Amino acid sequence: MKQLNAINTISRLVKKDPAVRAIFVKGSVARGEMDIYSDVDFYCLVKNDKLEEFLNRRLHYLKQYRPLLYWSEVNFVGPQIVAVFDNGLHFDFYTVTVSNSPKTDQIKIIHDPEGLLNNYKAEKLSITEEDFIRYFNSFSFTMLEFVSAYKRNDLIWASRLGSHLCGDLAVILRYIYDRNNSKLGFKRLYKNLDKNLYKKLHKAMDFLGPSYLPKGVIMLTEILKDTIEKIPNEVIRKINIKFFEYMYDRIIKLKQEDKKKISIQNSKG
């Protein structure tokens, strides 16, 4: 696979750099979930006093693999180059030190002569109970915004709010069905849902376009309504269920109001 070819080629060059202490990869490659569409999360752990020098050499190493179609610099967990090669491979080149090396997710060690990563223990990708409550309450509040946008006929914005609802729902479902990876949200969520629930979510997302509203949002809301019974009681007590139920009723009424409008229009026609 091109991912492994890129990792091998770039690692072979980078590990000779005097600033580099260790090399590892994360993401789907490290978890053993890589397929032909996967990107690469490539990490170089470098010496503090040689960090700035190394940053100036990153592009050189990347270009030794293949020509770059695109690249940009960001600072997410550390200085990072987001690169796309001429074969379409997305390659994220991270530079970290011992003090700021991330502990989330699994790693696959490529080069570690000092044994710096021997005691690496991945933190779970789970959200906290407080985060879960925040996502749930955020869903309810976004429902309020959706109703306002839909009723004023701002359907493009209403559709975007539907996407926000979907994002919150994905994390909520992930927390319930795959808690250890709840931060991943949508990513590979289909593997953790039963077929019926997956079909419902898939169909709801199909109807989030402006021309289909409010159908998609009603379906998302019904999915969450049906999911509440699976939330532990100690968490339910901390969620603003009263607000959710109020907004649920308002969302359902949109369907009834639309039916009345259609009926009136047909009678006039």
Side-chain angles (χ1 to χ4, degrees):
M1 281 187 175
K2 57 189 175 184
Q3 291 89 343
L4 298 180
N5 289 335
I7 291 169
N8 292 336
T9 299
I10 296 170
S11 295
R12 189 167 56 250
L13 298 167
V14 170
K15 69 182 180 182
K16 297 176 184 177
D17 191 293
V20 174
R21 303 181 69 183
I23 304 168
F24 59 96
V25 293
K26 300 185 76 173
S28 58
V29 179
R31 294 192 299 268
E33 298 173 353
M34 181 180 65
D35 57 30
I36 60 174
Y37 308 106
S38 298
D39 61 0
V40 174
D41 296 315
F42 184 89
Y43 287 76
C44 286
L45 195 158
V46 303
K47 300 173 182 176
N48 286 317
D49 60 344
K50 296 185 181 296
L51 173 61
E52 293 303 322
E53 297 175 16
F54 179 76
L55 295 179
N56 294 328
R57 296 191 284 268
R58 294 172 298 166
L59 271 180
H60 168 73
Y61 292 132
L62 287 168
K63 290 176 180 178
Q64 301 312 298
Y65 168 59
R66 294 182 71 99
L68 289 168
L69 285 178
Y70 167 86
W71 69 273
S72 66
E73 292 189 66
V74 296
N75 197 316
F76 183 46
V77 296
Q80 174 189 354
I81 288 182
V82 179
V84 179
F85 293 102
D86 66 345
N87 62 354
L89 176 63
H90 169 193
F91 195 100
D92 288 326
F93 191 119
Y94 296 88
T95 305
V96 297
T97 62
V98 170
S99 61
N100 72 348
S101 183
K103 297 296 189 297
T104 55
D105 210 354
Q106 300 176 41
I107 66 170
K108 180 178 180 181
I109 299 172
I110 306 298
H111 174 68
D112 185 22
E114 300 177 58
L116 297 172
L117 303 171
N118 286 347
N119 296 319
Y120 179 92
K121 186 176 180 180
E123 298 173 357
K124 294 178 180 178
L125 292 170
S126 57
I127 61 172
T128 64
E129 180 182 290
E130 291 74 19
D131 285 334
F132 175 79
I133 294 167
R134 179 172 56 82
Y135 275 105
F136 192 101
N137 291 337
S138 171
F139 187 99
S140 299
F141 185 79
T142 304
M143 289 161 69
L144 177 71
E145 291 188 301
F146 171 81
V147 170
S148 298
Y150 180 76
K151 286 199 167 188
R152 70 168 61 99
N153 207 34
D154 189 354
L155 297 182
I156 292 177
W157 175 233
S159 177
R160 185 71 179 99
L161 289 169
S163 296
H164 291 326
L165 287 169
C166 212
D168 285 343
L169 181 59
V171 177
I172 292 169
L173 292 174
R174 198 71 182 243
Y175 182 85
I176 293 170
Y177 293 99
D178 182 29
R179 187 167 303 183
N180 288 342
N181 294 301
S182 45
K183 286 183 180 178
L184 295 178
F186 276 118
K187 198 167 187 179
R188 294 186 174 86
L189 176 61
Y190 69 94
K191 291 185 176 182
N192 302 102
L193 303 181
D194 65 61
K195 289 183 179 180
N196 289 333
L197 181 54
Y198 172 75
K199 286 179 180 178
K200 287 180 182 178
L201 182 60
H202 190 292
K203 191 173 182 180
M205 294 180 70
D206 282 342
F207 289 105
L208 288 178
S211 299
Y212 299 103
L213 294 175
K215 186 172 183 178
V217 168
I218 291 172
M219 295 172 71
L220 291 177
T221 305
E222 289 174 338
I223 289 172
L224 184 52
K225 178 77 169 178
D226 293 340
T227 302
I228 288 176
E229 63 183 29
K230 299 184 182 298
I231 301 173
N233 289 333
E234 61 272 17
V235 179
I236 283 289
R237 288 194 292 267
K238 301 174 185 177
I239 290 171
N240 194 336
I241 292 293
K242 186 175 181 180
F243 182 35
F244 170 77
E245 290 178 343
Y246 171 77
M247 288 311 309
Y248 175 81
D249 289 340
R250 290 192 66 185
I251 292 289
I252 297 301
K253 284 178 181 176
L254 291 179
K255 185 177 181 180
Q256 298 168 353
E257 290 170 4
D258 279 2
K259 284 183 177 179
K260 287 182 181 179
K261 287 180 184 177
I262 295 172
S263 178
I264 292 171
Q265 290 170 356
N266 289 339
S267 64
K268 288 182 178 179

